[in-house]
Amino acid sequence: DVKVTQSSRYLVKRTGEKVFLECVQDMDHENMFWYRQDPGLGLRLIYFSYDVKMKEKGDIPEGYSVSREKKERFSLILESASTNQTSMYLCASSQITAYSYEQYFGPGTRLTVT
Amino acid sequence: QKEVEQNSGPLSVPEGAIASLNCTYSDRVSQSFFWYRQYSGKSPELIMSIYSNGDKEDGRFTAQLNKASQYVSLLIRDSQPSDSATYLCAVRRVDFGNEKLTFGTGTRLTIIP
């Protein structure tokens, strides 16, 4: 079974703090993704990576950065947390084959910025 | 127009009946389609994928794809209370050579015992 783990289930931070969210997958997947999920807005892609040290902006990258130093690990960084970044953050990984493109999600981190 | 549209619900279905969930998408060249189930407070879990026109069955679940009409649906037969969840439709897209998923906002399904 694919396993995607995230460093924290719940996190409370203050405005202006630097926040690190970590994600690890154990299936040797090439691709990793960070989403945020908000009521009424669904899942929105923040950043993704197709290889080590490679990153691409998703649909809402402002206020975030990422790091992928190892294939299995993908980190999301909030340089200076703001209250509008309070959300559920979900990491996912996938392997693209000719016939499938299935993403597997971690358990999520509920971040509250006060 | 949203790229992937779903009726947000809530959709209430009696136990044992068929639940029908629908999704439309705007990008005609989309090739791969997915249904995820998300229980309250949990992360999305992949339950079905479909790549060709027609029906694909897996246990009590059937995914239906009609590329000409740009819709994909999920049927749940013999609905159980444990099927109560939000169902997310996802469509694979290619953006500047990068492949990504676009998700709908989900349909909340409640199975009434």
Side-chain angles (χ1 to χ4, degrees):
Chain A
D1 271 356
V2 177
K3 191 164 184 186
V4 181
T5 57
Q6 295 183 229
S7 49
S8 307
R9 290 301 308 275
Y10 300 94
L11 211 50
V12 180
K13 295 292 182 180
R14 293 190 182 276
T15 301
E17 278 193 84
K18 191 168 187 176
V19 182
F20 293 87
L21 302 181
E22 298 229 311
C23 175
V24 178
Q25 50 95 4
D26 66 358
M27 286 303 292
D28 201 35
H29 282 173
E30 302 289 340
N31 315 310
M32 297 188 75
F33 307 84
W34 275 106
Y35 294 90
R36 64 178 283 177
Q37 187 174 30
D38 302 287
L41 297 177
L43 276 160
R44 293 180 291 168
L45 182 63
I46 304 170
Y47 266 97
F48 60 102
S49 169
Y50 286 125
D51 203 350
V52 176
K53 296 193 185 295
M54 186 240 140
K55 59 186 178 184
E56 293 286 344
K57 292 180 179 179
D59 299 316
I60 52 163
E62 296 78 20
Y64 304 94
S65 62
V66 290
S67 172
R68 195 166 180 200
E69 296 296 319
K70 293 184 177 181
K71 189 176 185 180
E72 67 271 18
R73 190 179 297 269
F74 192 36
S75 301
L76 180 69
I77 303 154
L78 287 67
E79 295 289 342
S80 177
S82 63
T83 54
N84 63 13
Q85 292 178 310
T86 292
S87 186
M88 171 69 89
Y89 289 87
L90 290 158
C91 175
S93 73
S94 75
Q95 189 78 302
I96 301 175
T97 68
Y99 302 103
S100 71
Y101 183 70
E102 299 171 355
Q103 290 190 11
Y104 297 89
F105 285 85
T109 296
R110 185 164 292 282
L111 172 67
T112 302
V113 183
T114 61
Chain B
Q1 182 189 6
K2 288 184 183 178
E3 291 183 60
V4 180
E5 293 210 50
Q6 296 181 254
N7 188 325
S8 61
L11 176 65
S12 297
V13 173
E15 183 175 355
I18 296 175
S20 178
L21 304 161
N22 298 313
C23 171
T24 58
Y25 59 95
S26 60
D27 187 351
R28 285 193 169 273
V29 302
S30 297
Q31 295 294 319
S32 308
F33 307 87
F34 307 89
W35 284 100
Y36 285 81
R37 178 178 61 200
Q38 187 174 24
Y39 292 115
S40 181
K42 302 292 186 182
S43 60
E45 169 193 16
L46 180 68
I47 55 171
M48 289 287 284
S49 56
I50 186 165
Y51 308 103
S52 306
N53 274 331
D55 294 1
K56 179 183 177 183
E57 190 174 315
D58 184 0
R60 295 186 297 111
F61 298 98
T62 299
Q64 299 175 317
L65 175 61
N66 183 324
K67 289 186 180 180
S69 301
Q70 294 176 242
Y71 83 78
V72 57
S73 61
L74 179 71
L75 301 178
I76 306 174
R77 290 183 301 281
D78 188 23
S79 297
Q80 303 296 310
S82 60
D83 295 325
S84 297
T86 296
Y87 289 80
L88 304 173
C89 172
V91 175
R92 174 182 171 190
R93 63 182 167 129
V94 179
D95 213 8
F96 298 102
N98 295 316
E99 301 194 36
K100 293 177 274 189
L101 288 183
T102 299
F103 287 84
T105 53
T107 298
R108 188 155 57 93
L109 174 66
T110 301
I111 305 302
I112 303 167

